[in-house]
Amino acid sequence: MRKRKLADRLLFGYVWLIIAWLFLPIAVMIAFGFNDTQSKSNVSWQGFTFKWWGRLDEYPDLTDAMINSIQLAVICVVITTVLGTLMGLALGRYRFKGQGATNLIMFAAISSPELVMGASLLSLFVSTGVDMGFTTALIAHVLFCLSFVAITVRARVVGLDPSLEEAARDLGASTWTTFWRITFPMILPGVVAGALLAFALSIDDFVITQFTSGAMQTFPLWIWGATRIGVPPQVNILGTLIFAVGVAIAVINSVTARRRT
Amino acid sequence: MKRLTPYLLILPGGLWLAIFLVVPMVFMASVSTQEGNVVDGFTQTFNFANYADTLVLFQTQFLRSVGYGLAGTIIAIALAYPIAYWIAFKGGSRKSTYLLLVLLPFFVSFVLRTVSWKFLLADEGIVLAPLKASGLLPEDFHVLQTSVAVVGGLVYNYLPFMILPIYVALERVDPRSVEAAQDLYATRSAAFRKVVLPLSLPGVFAGVLMTFVPMTADYVNAGILGGPQNTMIGNIIQTKYLVNNDYPSAAALSFTLMAAMLVGIFAYAKALGTENVLEAAAR
């Protein structure tokens, strides 16, 4: 019995060790937003300062890149949530011919390497002479987020109790009314989870965006470009702000999920 | 009308996937057998030599990518399994909190996290500089620009994709089946080997799928943490496409990479059923 306790305790320590490792670069990122660095490069610790927080907009192209990232993510979320919810409903609710093929394509979209997806889209755009920019990047973002939303919604649809919809119909509700009053509210948590996932995937994406965005820059692309000449502290601050928003959303989501069940 | 409903629901999203996933592949296949250059334009000559040429030229990077991918995947399994096990069986009511802690760092941009590792591991950075100053490490010790840094970065960036599917598989293991094994006089380790481990293998397989493919195709880690001796095939493809504009040989390389992965993926999907893998992937 005592030996068993020791093993458990070791395992527990290990779990926290890994969690600490996962957070290590995050801590560095947050700390270096307060680094009193003298040059543009921001590698060694030179003292604490708040000055960069007041000079967040020092690099206009960085600000533009951030705005591009947010716009791209928001529009991508709107499109993928609508299309993905419809797909999730079809896949979770109905049996139909072509279901296997749809599953296979979704599987391919999730599992093909981003590099190959980006490269093939670039081949398409180059071959057809399409100008690359915001729209082409958006097409790519919807492509790799869509399956995730569809699967998240499908899981929720499969878990629904069909008798609730039958009851609504027995009480004279039309298909449309049944959907908006009964089905939609019940799958909403899945839809919201899918939308959040799509937002996170889109705003973080680097590889596919690099291949499909032409001259347009997003936040990750700007950082990649800056690694050669030095990453300014403003990047760390923007990263910290995104992290804070992410944490807030995650906490709100888990608190509301707990209240629901 | 009723029978048409699922098709109408699936159509817009399905078309998007089909058009922008399948059609570009056809174009890439076409580009991969073209000849020419950016100035004079490319022409379709069915020049399959592109494949042979690039494979010979870049076999080192190909093999290195597969090697890094394999090493990273194996290390990720070793690191992820105990965590997934602990959260699934000992996490109790705090399970979702632990999962959240594992996932939170990934709210920070992938590129930015990798850049932070560069700061951490820099020769005169906050970790190595004090160790060198105190004489614990020799002056010429460095981590950046080595394969250790690249594989470490890969493991770091893809670890949650290994933890989650293994956790999902372990979560489904009924603790009563372990008790039953122990009632039948299985020792703790025998119960683990004969009951828990086999039941968790689909999760491990899903995890391998979710990590090996992106690790092998990754070029961000090698680009930021590695040096010229650690370039992966992704770095070559990226440079050829976006810097050299050498589309035909870049397309041939991408296609070879994808073909190698598809063989693996379909073998996996066949063995497990895509449904299982998809579900593990979605969580």
Side-chain angles (χ1 to χ4, degrees):
Chain A
M1 244 2 226
R2 173 154 295 180
K3 212 167 129 195
R4 194 171 156 176
K5 278 238 172 83
L6 179 70
D8 279 357
R9 212 171 281 169
L10 279 175
L11 208 50
F12 181 67
Y14 169 80
V15 168
W16 279 101
L17 197 69
I18 292 289
I19 289 177
W21 178 59
L22 290 174
F23 275 93
L24 195 58
I26 312 298
V28 169
M29 174 194 77
I30 296 173
F32 276 72
F34 297 100
N35 186 19
D36 194 7
T37 174
Q38 303 304 318
S39 62
K40 194 181 174 187
S41 98
N42 186 22
V43 180
S44 59
W45 184 254
Q46 285 158 3
F48 186 89
T49 179
F50 271 115
K51 70 178 175 194
W52 305 116
W53 287 75
R55 288 157 60 178
L56 252 184
D57 51 357
E58 203 166 47
Y59 301 93
D61 47 339
L62 173 61
T63 318
D64 288 345
M66 194 71 233
I67 293 170
N68 284 339
S69 275
I70 295 171
Q71 284 179 338
L72 203 53
V74 169
I75 303 176
C76 169
V77 164
V78 172
I79 299 175
T80 39
T81 309
V82 174
L83 300 189
T85 304
L86 297 180
M87 288 183 86
L89 274 170
L91 291 167
R93 169 69 49 83
Y94 303 93
R95 304 240 130 247
F96 57 95
K97 259 191 199 153
Q99 201 159 14
T102 314
N103 276 328
L104 193 69
I105 286 198
M106 279 168 40
F107 180 67
I110 286 181
S111 54
S112 42
E114 284 189 88
L115 171 66
V116 174
M117 241 197 233
S120 66
L121 278 167
L122 179 71
S123 300
L124 172 78
F125 296 141
V126 168
S127 300
T128 51
V130 174
D131 268 336
M132 282 181 280
F134 191 87
T135 314
T136 47
L138 181 64
I139 287 173
H141 278 226
V142 172
L143 176 66
F144 70 77
C145 294
L146 191 54
S147 309
F148 286 99
V149 178
I151 291 169
T152 317
V153 173
R154 180 182 69 182
R156 190 80 196 176
V157 172
V158 169
L160 281 188
D161 183 356
S163 58
L164 283 167
E165 287 180 10
E166 278 163 32
R169 248 172 272 132
D170 288 347
L171 292 167
S174 66
T175 316
W176 204 237
T177 315
T178 311
F179 177 77
W180 284 113
R181 303 287 290 271
I182 307 292
T183 317
F184 188 71
M186 287 200 299
I187 62 168
L188 191 59
V191 175
V192 171
L196 289 176
L197 186 61
F199 188 84
L201 287 171
S202 167
I203 204 154
D204 187 33
D205 184 76
F206 171 72
V207 175
I208 296 191
T209 317
Q210 197 189 23
F211 276 88
T212 54
S213 63
M216 183 193 72
Q217 296 239 308
T218 61
F219 183 57
L221 289 182
W222 198 92
I223 303 172
W224 172 269
T227 48
R228 261 158 251 177
I229 41 169
V231 179
Q234 281 86 349
V235 164
N236 293 52
I237 296 176
L238 286 174
T240 305
L241 291 174
I242 298 176
F243 180 64
V245 172
V247 171
I249 291 173
V251 169
I252 292 168
N253 195 38
S254 76
V255 168
T256 49
R258 204 164 296 161
R259 205 170 287 163
R260 229 176 275 122
T261 43
Chain B
M1 183 62 205
K2 262 256 154 81
R3 258 199 287 152
L4 274 180
T5 314
Y7 294 103
L8 290 176
L9 291 174
I10 211 90
L11 202 65
L15 276 181
W16 197 296
L17 286 178
I19 292 175
F20 295 116
L21 196 69
V22 180
V23 175
M25 293 292 170
V26 176
F27 270 90
M28 196 165 75
S30 156
V31 171
S32 73
T33 58
Q34 292 180 356
E35 268 178 296
N37 56 58
V38 200
V39 184
D40 305 325
F42 297 93
T43 41
Q44 180 56 269
T45 55
F46 296 101
N47 178 23
F48 287 97
N50 279 339
Y51 283 87
D53 292 349
T54 50
L55 255 185
V56 172
L57 209 52
F58 298 108
Q59 57 172 330
T60 330
Q61 283 84 354
F62 251 112
L63 291 176
R64 188 183 291 138
S65 300
V66 175
Y68 284 1
L70 275 176
T73 306
I74 293 167
I75 297 171
I77 295 176
L79 291 180
Y81 202 99
I83 299 175
Y85 182 90
W86 193 86
I87 299 178
F89 289 111
K90 317 274 177 191
S93 60
R94 295 238 173 95
K95 274 179 192 173
S96 55
T97 311
Y98 283 109
L99 285 177
L100 190 64
L101 279 176
V102 167
L103 287 175
L104 271 188
F106 295 83
F107 280 105
V108 172
S109 173
F110 171 49
V111 180
L112 189 48
R113 270 181 287 128
T114 314
V115 169
S116 285
W117 273 115
K118 191 179 177 173
F119 293 168
L120 268 164
L121 301 175
D123 289 348
E124 303 306 326
I126 48 178
V127 178
L128 294 190
L131 285 174
K132 283 178 182 173
S134 61
L136 284 169
L137 286 174
E139 271 304 312
D140 59 348
F141 182 87
H142 57 98
V143 181
L144 279 188
Q145 312 239 332
T146 66
S147 49
V148 174
V150 179
V151 175
L154 288 174
V155 172
Y156 176 83
N157 278 315
Y158 295 102
L159 191 66
F161 299 107
M162 186 62 88
I163 295 179
L164 285 185
I166 298 182
Y167 166 79
V168 170
L170 285 170
E171 241 279 285
R172 287 191 191 146
V173 175
D174 189 340
R176 281 173 301 182
S177 60
V178 181
E179 281 165 30
Q182 283 168 345
D183 287 345
L184 295 166
Y185 300 106
T187 60
R188 252 171 78 84
S189 79
F192 174 77
R193 269 183 293 113
K194 300 212 162 146
V195 178
V196 178
L197 189 61
L199 286 172
S200 68
L201 281 185
V204 178
F205 285 139
V208 170
L209 187 68
M210 303 276 299
T211 54
F212 177 69
V213 172
M215 276 186 188
T216 309
D218 186 274
Y219 59 85
V220 175
N221 284 281
I224 295 178
L225 301 172
Q229 300 85 27
N230 314 101
T231 44
M232 295 171 71
I233 199 64
N235 301 81
I236 307 282
I237 294 176
Q238 190 252 6
T239 312
K240 275 187 174 296
Y241 263 120
L242 301 175
V243 183
N244 302 343
N245 291 327
D246 181 3
Y247 298 116
S249 68
L253 280 174
S254 315
F255 239 88
T256 315
L257 178 69
M258 192 184 59
M261 299 198 159
L262 276 186
V263 172
I265 290 170
F266 278 106
Y268 261 75
K270 193 109 191 139
L272 294 166
T274 47
E275 203 91 337
N276 267 345
V277 179
L278 271 184
E279 254 166 45
R283 262 162 233 235

